[in-house]
Amino acid sequence: MIIPQNIEELASYVEHRGKTVFFFTTDWCGDCRFIKPFLPEIEAENPEFTFLEVDRDQYMAVAQKWDVYGIPSLIVLENGQEIGRYVNRDRKTKSQINDFLANL
């Protein structure tokens, strides 16, 4: 999981070749903490994706621009174009995330 250190690094992945998953999260989000332990497994099972962890509070302007208000949320871009989003406030399971990614 890549954790961007600044807005410029985050922006560099928007036009990234291939499929990029932007995982919007925060430290205080219980449902986000629920997902984190199995994220390495999800990454390993989906090697065709690049995964970024985006702190929603740190990058609030990006979250607002992308209409991310519920967390945890996943937005997937391919070559700079959005191809899928799993954005809501509900807790997400490993199988739900893998199913979402499999359909992209």
Side-chain angles (χ1 to χ4, degrees), residues 74-92:
L74 297 103
I75 296 180
V76 182
L77 303 182
E78 183 173 24
N79 303 324
Q81 299 296 314
E82 183 176 325
I83 61 168
R85 67 173 44 217
Y86 196 1
V87 176
N88 59 40
R89 295 181 186 162
D90 297 335
R91 178 172 282 184
K92 295 156 186 65

Side-chain angles (χ1 to χ4, degrees), residues 3-90:
I3 301 174
Q5 299 302 306
N6 53 53
I7 191 72
E8 292 81 12
E9 184 180 0
L10 176 62
S12 73
Y13 284 95
V14 171
E15 297 295 329
H16 188 256
R17 285 187 63 145
K19 297 178 183 177
T20 306
V21 178
F22 293 81
F23 170 58
F24 285 85
T25 184
T26 63
D27 289 339
W28 53 263
C29 168
D31 290 338
C32 301
R33 288 192 305 269
F34 173 79
I35 291 173
K36 284 193 178 189
F38 55 80
L39 280 175
E41 294 172 30
I42 292 172
E43 284 185 84
E45 294 167 11
N46 297 280
E48 68 276 20
F49 293 89
T50 299
F51 289 81
L52 274 86
E53 182 177 321
V54 182
D55 185 307
R56 199 275 317 259
D57 292 344
Q58 181 178 355
Y59 297 105
M60 183 61 79
V62 174
Q64 289 173 336
K65 183 175 180 173
W66 289 9
D67 295 322
V68 175
Y69 297 103
I71 50 172
S73 293
L74 297 103
I75 296 180
V76 182
L77 303 182
E78 183 173 24
N79 303 324
Q81 299 296 314
E82 183 176 325
I83 61 168
R85 67 173 44 217
Y86 196 1
V87 176
N88 59 40
R89 295 181 186 162
D90 297 335

